[in-house]
Amino acid sequence: MTLTTIQYGSIASSETLNSNFDYLDNRISTSNETINTSISTLLSNIATINSRITEVSESLSSLITNLSATVEEYKTKTKLLVKKSSAVPNWTSIRSISFTVGTDFTATSNGYVLILPTASSTGNLTINSNTVCVKDDISSKTLIVIPVKSGDVLSTTITCESASFLPSAEMNVENF
């Protein structure tokens, strides 16, 4: 059914008017149902999107927590690596050591053992059971520098005028 056109100035019957009103009422009801269905669909989509956002947010929070823990772990490992492998001398902490034939020296930290042998002495240096000839010339008196790490055990067959231990500086990275 469609609207019946009523000419200007004419007298319309109640049946024509009622048919027009019924038609408009049906169109309004149909449009209202269509709009309500669209609104319901939109609300459902919004609820689905909110649910997905919550899931993603929870997933991201979990990933961020794991990432933060991993970063802290690597930060700790990096600090330990720098600490264990630093080779920058700490000249303010150099100290004299007793290092003579028959007396072992154990390094208490990473650093350097500095030996000034007597000119007339020749011999070997043993580090952790590994022996190396370090002086075979009785006419020279040259400073010998031996890099060591914490726990290394040194012994010598060289007569030393003096011996010192020069520890490595502890490396820190500010705010790390």
Side-chain angles (χ1 to χ4, degrees):
M1 172 180 179
T2 61
L3 283 176
T4 303
T5 305
I6 301 170
Q7 295 297 323
Y8 179 76
S10 66
I11 298 177
S13 69
S14 60
E15 180 184 346
T16 302
L17 287 176
N18 286 335
S19 292
N20 281 347
F21 288 134
D22 285 341
Y23 174 77
L24 290 173
D25 187 43
N26 285 339
R27 291 287 292 176
I28 289 171
S29 293
T30 303
S31 294
N32 191 29
E33 287 174 13
T34 302
I35 290 171
N36 284 336
T37 301
S38 295
I39 289 172
S40 291
T41 301
L42 287 173
L43 291 175
S44 175
N45 288 343
I46 289 171
T48 301
I49 289 169
N50 282 338
S51 174
R52 297 285 188 245
I53 288 172
T54 300
E55 289 173 10
V56 168
S57 176
E58 289 171 356
S59 177
L60 282 176
S61 291
S62 175
L63 289 172
I64 288 171
T65 300
N66 290 341
L67 182 61
S68 293
T70 302
V71 166
E72 283 302 316
E73 179 184 348
Y74 281 120
K75 191 168 142 180
T76 301
K77 286 180 179 180
T78 302
K79 283 181 181 180
L80 186 60
L81 175 66
V82 168
K83 182 179 180 180
K84 287 190 172 195
S85 64
S86 66
V88 176
N90 182 359
W91 287 101
T92 60
S93 296
I94 191 168
R95 69 180 191 276
S96 181
I97 59 172
S98 175
F99 191 54
T100 59
V101 176
T103 305
D104 290 348
F105 170 75
T106 302
T108 55
S109 64
N110 293 353
Y112 304 89
V113 173
L114 309 175
I115 302 170
L116 184 60
T118 57
S120 61
S121 180
T122 60
N124 299 324
L125 177 71
T126 302
I127 304 173
N128 299 331
S129 303
N130 297 304
T131 303
V132 179
C133 178
V134 290
K135 186 166 186 297
D136 62 359
D137 180 3
I138 61 170
S139 64
S140 70
K141 183 175 163 181
T142 304
L143 180 68
I144 301 170
V145 180
I146 302 117
V148 293
K149 69 176 184 169
S150 182
D152 282 349
V153 179
L154 288 77
S155 61
T156 188
T157 60
I158 303 170
T159 305
C160 298
E161 242 179 67
S162 67
S164 299
F165 178 68
L166 174 61
S168 293
E170 186 166 324
M171 302 304 288
N172 288 317
V173 178
E174 298 217 8
N175 299 320
F176 186 64

